[in-house]
């Protein structure tokens, strides 16, 4: 009977540790997915050709903190705008004889680590031919801070659960040995 109690105690400790680890792992994965969806958008000076923009993009792409860069031409930007804002009323978009977003070719830049956003934005603002850089500074800071707090809290709770598990297993084994000696 005592052996069953010992096994049950050890199984419960391992189960609790596993459940908490799964929760932390899932929350961390959700935060990482959110970080990967945050983009920096780089707009270029008026009058630059698409080839010049792509040449600047080639220079920007050499940065190590960049995970992915997507080029959005002015035509693609206009089509996307029409799909979102004129949904159901496409005839309103026909009133534009020219593309009103003619100078809105841009790159959407996704980072490997969101905490490097500030340094990349400073670099991008100093690149010749770049007109504007749009970023989500508050989102980046919030995600970075949340990730840091999550790491500290989960590490502390894992240490507490590990200590409790060791204490319970140690006491169960000690009591088992004492009972068998009698």
């Amino acid at each position: 009977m005592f052996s069953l109690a010992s096994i049950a105690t050890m199984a419960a400790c391992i189960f609790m540790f596993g459940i908490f680890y799964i929760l932390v792992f899932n929350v961390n994965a959700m935060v990482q997915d959110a970080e990967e969806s945050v983009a920096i958008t780089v707009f270029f000076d008026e009058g630059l050709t698409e080839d010049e923009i792509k040449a600047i993009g080639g220079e920007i792409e050499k940065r190590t903190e960049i995970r992915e860069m997507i080029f959005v031409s002015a035509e693609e930007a206009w089509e996307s705008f029409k799909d979102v804002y004129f949904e159901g009323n496409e005839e309103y978009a026909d009133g534009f004889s020219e593309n009103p977003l003619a100078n809105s070719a841009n790159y959407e830049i996704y980072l490997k680590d969101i905490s490097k956003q500030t340094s990349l934005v400073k670099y991008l603002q100093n690149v010749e031919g770049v007109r504007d850089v749009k970023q989500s500074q508050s989102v980046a800071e919030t995600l970075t801070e949340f990730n840091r707090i999550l790491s500290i809290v989960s590490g502390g709770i894992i240490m507490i659960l590990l200590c409790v598990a060791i204490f319970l297993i140690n006491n169960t084994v000690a009591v088992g040995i004492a009972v068998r000696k009698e």
Side-chain angles (χ1 to χ4, degrees):
M1 188 64 137
F2 189 76
S3 294
L4 289 175
S6 298
I7 291 170
T9 302
M10 289 181 205
C13 289
I14 292 170
F15 178 75
M16 291 297 291
F17 185 78
I19 291 293
F20 183 74
Y21 181 76
I22 288 170
L23 286 172
V24 168
F25 185 79
N26 283 333
V27 170
N28 196 23
M30 288 188 307
V31 170
Q32 191 166 5
D33 285 346
E35 285 180 352
E36 289 176 358
S37 68
V38 175
I40 298 170
T41 306
V42 180
F43 293 96
F44 299 94
D45 291 337
E46 292 183 22
L48 289 179
T49 65
E50 197 167 301
D51 291 335
E52 292 172 326
I53 292 172
K54 287 187 177 184
I56 295 170
E59 289 298 314
I60 293 171
E61 198 167 21
K62 293 178 184 177
R63 299 283 298 205
T64 59
E65 58 265 68
I66 295 174
R67 177 177 51 85
E68 180 181 16
M69 278 181 60
I70 299 172
F71 177 72
V72 179
S73 68
E75 292 77 26
E76 292 170 335
W78 175 235
E79 290 301 319
S80 175
F81 184 85
K82 285 194 304 189
D83 290 344
V84 172
Y85 292 101
F86 295 116
E87 183 179 354
N89 298 313
E90 286 79 15
E91 65 275 2
Y92 295 154
D94 295 338
F96 293 95
S97 60
E98 293 180 15
N99 181 355
L101 301 177
N103 290 312
S104 63
N106 64 74
Y107 275 104
E108 292 177 359
I109 301 174
Y110 298 91
L111 303 176
K112 294 176 186 172
D113 182 6
I114 197 76
S115 64
K116 307 274 190 222
Q117 179 176 335
T118 304
S119 64
L120 181 63
V121 168
K122 286 180 184 175
Y123 166 76
L124 292 171
Q125 289 171 337
N126 293 321
V127 172
E128 188 174 329
V130 171
R131 171 177 38 120
D132 193 17
V133 179
K134 300 289 184 189
Q135 64 173 326
S136 299
Q137 185 65 30
S138 62
V139 172
E141 289 173 357
T142 301
L143 288 172
T144 301
E145 186 65 21
F146 182 75
N147 215 5
R148 187 181 70 77
I149 290 171
L150 179 66
S151 297
I152 292 170
V153 169
S154 62
I157 291 175
I158 287 174
M159 292 304 290
I160 290 170
L161 286 174
L162 191 61
C163 290
V164 167
I166 290 171
F167 176 75
L168 288 174
I169 292 170
N170 186 32
N171 281 347
T172 304
V173 170
V175 170
I177 291 172
V179 166
R180 291 183 193 259
K181 280 186 181 179
E182 293 177 6

